[in-house]
């Protein structure tokens, strides 16, 4: 069974640009979570999608947004990139149970 | 407000020794407490988890101890090996598939 897959694995963007990150959850998992892991700051919760709806968002500005598609895959969009957005962006999926499984992440560098 | 506090920030243990990482939480609505292991350049991987109706759970060399009254839980790694060198995160969540809340992580180095 395939795990959580994220794309791209790495990308470099210029300040002010926009970026879209993608996540495919484990088959059968309906919930998708996005986390930001900046250096030395641990995992900060960004967004939670379940059954196509945004259920909760963390303490991030509105330029962080996303959506979940009918097949439960998800996109994270970040507009007006800032240098401090440089981080590892992690996607996790969960069935209707406690366990959450993470992808390998997308390393975003903003220059 | 940090809801899960993790210590120490870093830990160096001799090969064969016991690694102990501690976490404390504030929200009594949390009812699921997992530990994740993360190697450089990889996503976190679920290691072991516990619910508050159990005081201890053991899987191989990894043990979670849980103290509900103190709102604390800890990870013990017995017979620590160099391959255990990684960053460990404790986490907690409420029921209903709510997002995990993570501690800030502990960087473990096991030296020969």
């Amino acid at each position: 069974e395939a795990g959580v897959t994220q794309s791209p694995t790495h990308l470099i963007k210029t300040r002010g640009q926009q970026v879209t990150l993608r996540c495919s959850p484990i088959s059968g998992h309906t919930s998708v979570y996005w986390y930001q892991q900046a250096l030395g700051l641990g995992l900060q919760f960004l967004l939670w999608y379940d059954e196509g709806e945004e259920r909760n968002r963390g303490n991030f500005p509105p330029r962080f947004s996303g959506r979940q598609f009918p097949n439960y895959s998800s996109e994270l969009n970040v507009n007006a990139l800032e240098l401090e957005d440089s981080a590892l962006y992690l996607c996790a999926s969960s069935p209707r149970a406690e366990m959450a499984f993470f992808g390998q992440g997308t390393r975003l560098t903003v220059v | 407000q940090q809801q899960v506090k993790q210590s120490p920030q870093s830990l160096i243990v001799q090969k064969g020794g016991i690694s102990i990482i501690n976490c404390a939480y504030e929200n009594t609505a949390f009812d699921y407490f997992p530990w994740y292991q993360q190697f450089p350049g990889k996503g976190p991987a679920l290691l072991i988890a516990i619910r508050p109706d159990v005081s201890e759970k053991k899987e191989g060399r990894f043990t979670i101890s849980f103290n509900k009254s103190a709102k604390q839980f800890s990870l013990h790694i017995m017979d620590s090996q160099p391959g255990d060198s990684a960053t460990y995160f404790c986490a907690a969540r409420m029921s209903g598939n709510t997002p995990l809340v993570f501690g800030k992580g502990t960087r473990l180095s096991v030296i020969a």
Side-chain angles (χ1 to χ4, degrees), chain A residues 30-31 33 35 37 41-45 48 50 56 88 90 94-104, chain B residues 9 31-32 36 38 41-46 51 87 89 93 96-105 107:
Chain A
T30 60
S31 278
Y33 311 85
Y35 287 83
Q37 187 175 24
L41 293 182
L43 284 84
Q44 304 293 317
F45 166 67
W48 171 27
D50 183 62
N56 200 359
L88 181 67
L90 292 160
S94 178
R96 294 203 174 275
E98 299 102 346
M99 295 180 290
F101 299 90
F102 283 85
Q104 299 282 63
Chain B
Q9 188 174 358
D31 68 354
Y32 175 71
Y36 283 82
Q38 186 179 30
K42 304 292 186 182
L46 179 62
R51 295 184 64 91
T87 300
F89 293 93
R93 79 191 301 183
N97 247 20
T98 55
L100 287 161
V101 177
F102 284 87
K104 289 189 177 295
R107 177 172 287 185

Side-chain angles (χ1 to χ4, degrees), chain A residues 24-93:
Chain A
S24 292
I26 293 172
S27 177
H29 290 193
T30 60
S31 278
V32 170
Y33 311 85
W34 287 95
Y35 287 83
Q36 181 194 66
Q37 187 175 24
L39 195 62
L41 293 182
L43 284 84
Q44 304 293 317
F45 166 67
L46 267 166
L47 290 160
W48 171 27
Y49 293 95
D50 183 62
E51 298 283 1
E53 300 285 332
E54 181 180 303
R55 301 297 183 185
N56 200 359
R57 66 179 293 128
N59 188 25
F60 282 84
R63 58 190 186 83
F64 287 84
S65 65
R67 56 179 173 169
Q68 186 178 34
F69 299 96
N71 66 354
Y72 303 118
S73 66
S74 177
E75 285 183 350
L76 173 68
N77 298 292
V78 187
N79 295 318
L81 284 166
E82 301 179 0
L83 296 179
E84 52 265 35
D85 296 334
S86 295
L88 181 67
Y89 288 85
L90 292 160
C91 171
S93 74

Side-chain angles (χ1 to χ4, degrees), chain B residues 35-106:
Chain B
W35 284 88
Y36 283 82
Q37 179 189 56
Q38 186 179 30
F39 293 105
K42 304 292 186 182
L46 179 62
L47 194 59
I48 187 172
I50 197 168
R51 295 184 64 91
D53 53 350
V54 176
S55 61
E56 185 175 281
K57 183 175 181 179
K58 182 176 181 179
E59 290 184 2
R61 297 184 295 109
F62 300 92
T63 300
I64 299 180
S65 297
F66 189 87
N67 186 330
K68 187 175 181 179
S69 60
K71 292 187 286 186
Q72 295 176 347
F73 58 110
S74 60
L75 175 69
H76 291 63
I77 305 174
M78 313 299 287
D79 187 26
S80 298
Q81 300 296 313
D84 296 330
S85 297
T87 300
Y88 293 81
F89 293 93
C90 62
R93 79 191 301 183
M94 295 180 287
S95 61
N97 247 20
T98 55
L100 287 161
V101 177
F102 284 87
K104 289 189 177 295
T106 296

